[in-house]
Amino acid sequence: MGIVRLRETFQQARWNEPIIFEMSTPNVRGIFPPEADSEIVKSVGDVAGKLPTGIRRKNLPKLPELSQKHVLSHYLRLSQETMGSNIGNDISEGTCTMKYNPRVNEDLVAEPNFAELHPSQSEDTVQGILEIYYKFENVVKQVSGLDQFTFQPGGGSHAVFTAASVVRAYWEEKGELDKRNEIITTIFSHPCDAATPATAGFKVITIYPDENGMPDIEALKAALSERTAAIFMTNPEDIGIFNPKVDEFVKLVHGAGALCFYDQANANAFLGVARAKEAGFDMCHFNVHKTFGAPHGCSGPACGALGATKKLAKYLPVPLVKYDGSKYYLDGGDEHSIGKVRDFMGVAGVILRAYAWTMALGAEGLRECADISVINNNYMEKKALQIRGISSAFQNNGITRQEQIRYSFKKMQEETGIGSDDFNQRIVDYGVPSFWSSHHPWIIPEPMTLEPCETYSKDDIDEYVAVLQRISDEAYSNPEIIKTAPHNSASHQRNDVESLDDPEKWATTWAAYTKKHR
């Protein structure tokens, strides 16, 4: 039995570090690169001369000018102010499945035989990574039961957008896109299940839960019509409830002639337990960087694996990796494909890490991940609901929660004035990362979403619950210490919050910032 430590003496570095551009001193250099060979200068000049005038740079880029020492100290200080997943207790990040990513897999992707590959190389010279793509595709095909996968999308929401694009292509080929222009989703599905179909040009209809917190099947029946193109739904939803009637939903949607897409970003609860195929879905996706043990990337260095049945496989992005019995090769598909949604083959490093993680666990290990995740979550629920002021959404419906739960501080807020945002300001003072509250709008008032996946031990959960208990005690005895938090963290309370809602004040680059705020 381990020791549960409440980190009351936690003190994070707070450097008040400036933006690196503010540290710049003219003519200071960290490195003097050698002058380029004349042939290189000429070839670059030839290429530059062919560029349209409008995109040629007129002036040198205004990059920060610093010595190596100051660059190093700057980023080391920022790293000390970061509460990363390998430092803090990341149970906080509900819906994100913050499982441990084995360090040995980082060595794999750093191997020169992999790291120095270029995606434009001849297929004959990259047989190894093509084999890994092919074999990992077989893994997700077995886990889902679907027939074909693409790994091009750069994240989960990108995969969902790709699914919406496939739906468009399907109805367009049938000549019914003008009529089939509505996609149904549920309010507790991931927001991308509404946002990406809308981006793809569909009208989105959202159905709300019944009294037990599950998607209302009567509301679905009312929403279905000859205009329905598809349903996009997450299951388990983000409040942790698995809809046991999901196959009935699929039958109703198919009965209306429409398609069914399964958002499986929350798949950690049922790896090896339930599959998209048996529920009747036409497409599904996984967040490879969540469920299969690769680091998160937030639609950048990540991977959303999109799978389809044979009926829809021809619309998937190309190329796809195939095997002819002696050689792996890239199949460019035909005119039915929606084309490419990203350059090359997606993020190969994520696929390599995920393949290594999956092979290390095997089929039984994947099932054990699901079992431990559900056990952890239900243990944590029993502990957390004993804390004054904390409740959970639909907690009296008698339904066992899956891998996560959306809790609520509504009672605490009513009794002490301390709500979700206040609690989040204080939790970092105990060395615990801020928790994920909820997507907007807050259907569950004053929310907190926690996900203690298989990575976390009983001691990790007990430690987290002890922090929740301490802050609850403070809320009822000394709420001012929470209202003025954080005290020991590198983060701070936000000033001028209203400006966050003013697009005229947004600045996503240093150049934009200096124009708007200097």
Side-chain angles (χ1 to χ4, degrees):
M1 191 69 171
I3 299 172
V4 177
R5 294 182 176 88
L6 188 64
R7 291 179 171 81
E8 298 174 276
T9 58
F10 172 76
Q11 185 70 53
Q12 191 173 19
R14 183 181 289 178
W15 287 100
N16 194 27
E17 189 71 2
I19 301 294
I20 197 168
F21 286 92
E22 297 176 299
M23 301 169 63
S24 180
T25 301
N27 300 317
V28 172
R29 294 288 182 272
I31 186 172
F32 286 91
E35 291 188 9
D37 184 84
S38 58
E39 291 185 9
I40 295 176
V41 172
K42 182 179 183 303
S43 63
V44 170
D46 291 343
V47 172
K50 296 176 183 178
L51 293 175
T53 304
I55 65 171
R56 295 183 199 174
R57 184 182 289 279
K58 296 178 178 62
N59 301 300
L60 292 174
K62 296 179 180 179
L63 300 176
E65 299 174 86
L66 287 84
S67 69
Q68 289 188 31
K69 176 190 183 305
H70 291 100
V71 171
L72 180 63
S73 62
H74 173 72
Y75 286 106
L76 285 175
R77 287 168 182 165
L78 293 181
S79 72
Q80 291 175 358
E81 295 183 307
T82 300
M83 186 63 68
S85 60
N86 293 323
I87 297 175
N89 191 333
D90 249 10
I91 289 172
S92 293
E93 303 307 316
T95 87
C96 291
T97 316
M98 299 300 293
K99 59 179 66 182
Y100 174 69
N101 306 132
R103 297 301 94 185
V104 67
N105 294 346
E106 300 307 307
D107 289 340
L108 279 177
V109 297
E111 276 286 322
N113 288 339
F114 170 76
E116 294 177 6
L117 293 178
H118 192 282
S120 293
Q121 284 181 226
S122 165
E123 292 175 8
D124 293 332
T125 66
V126 291
Q127 286 293 295
I129 189 60
L130 292 181
E131 179 180 358
I132 288 172
Y133 265 80
Y134 184 83
K135 289 185 174 179
F136 185 66
E137 182 187 2
N138 284 337
V139 169
V140 291
K141 283 160 67 173
Q142 290 179 51
V143 171
S144 67
L146 299 191
D147 300 307
Q148 186 77 62
F149 271 82
T150 176
F151 299 128
Q152 264 190 43
S157 55
H158 194 190
V160 180
F161 175 76
T162 305
S165 301
V166 168
V167 172
R168 278 189 63 88
Y170 175 81
W171 289 115
E172 192 168 35
E173 185 185 10
K174 287 183 169 293
E176 298 182 47
L177 185 58
D178 289 342
K179 183 180 76 170
R180 297 277 187 175
N181 59 3
E182 294 180 354
I183 284 182
I184 299 170
T185 190
T186 67
I187 191 62
F188 290 133
S189 288
H190 292 124
C192 62
D193 293 334
T196 60
T199 303
F202 291 98
K203 176 184 177 182
V204 177
I205 298 174
T206 303
I207 60 176
Y208 280 70
D210 61 19
E211 65 277 5
N212 292 315
M214 289 186 291
D216 190 332
I217 198 164
E218 296 303 318
L220 173 65
K221 292 176 182 177
L224 286 169
S225 73
E226 69 279 358
R227 296 183 301 278
T228 305
I231 187 170
F232 279 44
M233 62 186 300
T234 306
N235 193 39
E237 295 191 301
D238 265 3
I239 57 175
I241 294 178
F242 183 88
N243 180 4
K245 297 180 179 179
V246 64
D247 55 342
E248 295 181 38
F249 273 62
V250 169
K251 289 176 183 176
L252 286 169
V253 175
H254 281 163
L259 300 172
C260 296
F261 167 75
Y262 198 171
D263 178 331
Q264 293 193 275
N266 293 342
N268 212 53
F270 54 91
L271 288 171
V273 180
R275 303 198 307 173
K277 177 183 179 180
E278 280 70 35
F281 282 91
D282 304 294
M283 287 189 289
C284 77
H285 97 283
F286 296 103
N287 282 20
V288 177
H289 51 287
K290 285 175 55 176
T291 309
F292 295 96
H296 282 56
C298 298
S299 289
C303 177
L306 176 64
T309 58
K310 291 178 181 178
K311 179 174 74 172
L312 297 180
K314 63 183 180 181
Y315 302 106
L316 290 176
V318 291
L320 300 170
V321 179
K322 299 293 181 67
Y323 183 57
D324 63 9
S326 62
K327 177 184 175 182
Y328 298 94
Y329 64 95
L330 298 178
D331 183 352
D334 59 26
E335 72 278 3
H336 294 97
S337 170
I338 63 171
K340 296 179 73 69
V341 295
R342 187 170 184 159
D343 285 342
F344 304 115
M345 296 290 295
V347 186
V350 172
I351 303 303
L352 177 56
R353 290 180 182 95
Y355 179 73
W357 182 85
T358 305
M359 290 298 99
L361 286 172
E364 292 182 1
L366 291 181
R367 172 61 188 260
E368 188 174 5
C369 287
D371 291 343
I372 295 174
S373 293
V374 175
I375 290 169
N376 277 357
N377 190 43
N378 282 271
Y379 172 74
M380 188 169 197
E381 179 189 30
K382 298 297 186 294
K383 301 276 286 188
L385 293 182
Q386 295 173 16
I387 298 173
R388 187 179 181 186
I390 296 180
S391 61
S392 70
F394 307 102
Q395 70 184 65
N396 297 318
N397 63 5
I399 298 173
T400 300
R401 300 306 170 94
Q402 299 299 306
E403 84 296 1
Q404 63 188 337
I405 291 178
R406 184 153 296 158
Y407 297 90
S408 174
F409 293 106
K410 180 184 178 183
K411 188 170 188 293
M412 183 182 295
Q413 202 277 335
E414 292 171 346
E415 295 175 343
T416 69
I418 299 298
S420 179
D421 288 342
D422 304 305
F423 209 99
N424 228 352
Q425 289 175 179
R426 179 59 170 157
I427 200 169
V428 294
D429 282 336
Y430 291 98
V432 174
S434 298
F435 56 75
W436 170 241
S437 53
S438 168
H439 308 106
H440 286 276
W442 282 4
I443 305 298
I444 307 302
E446 303 300 326
M448 169 179 68
T449 310
L450 305 179
E451 183 180 2
C453 69
E454 77 276 4
T455 288
Y456 301 99
S457 67
K458 179 177 179 295
D459 289 341
D460 292 329
I461 297 171
D462 289 343
E463 175 195 49
Y464 200 98
V465 170
V467 173
L468 298 180
Q469 180 67 66
R470 172 59 62 88
I471 301 174
S472 171
D473 293 343
E474 291 174 344
Y476 284 93
S477 63
N478 183 18
E480 189 61 22
I481 197 172
I482 299 176
K483 287 289 187 182
T484 55
H487 305 286
N488 307 324
S489 169
S491 58
H492 57 79
Q493 292 196 22
R494 293 166 295 181
N495 299 319
D496 189 24
V497 176
E498 291 78 13
S499 67
L500 298 177
D501 294 324
D502 182 0
E504 293 301 317
K505 295 183 178 180
W506 295 350
T508 56
T509 66
W510 179 250
Y513 177 79
T514 54
K515 288 179 182 178
K516 293 184 177 184
H517 300 284
R518 292 236 163 179

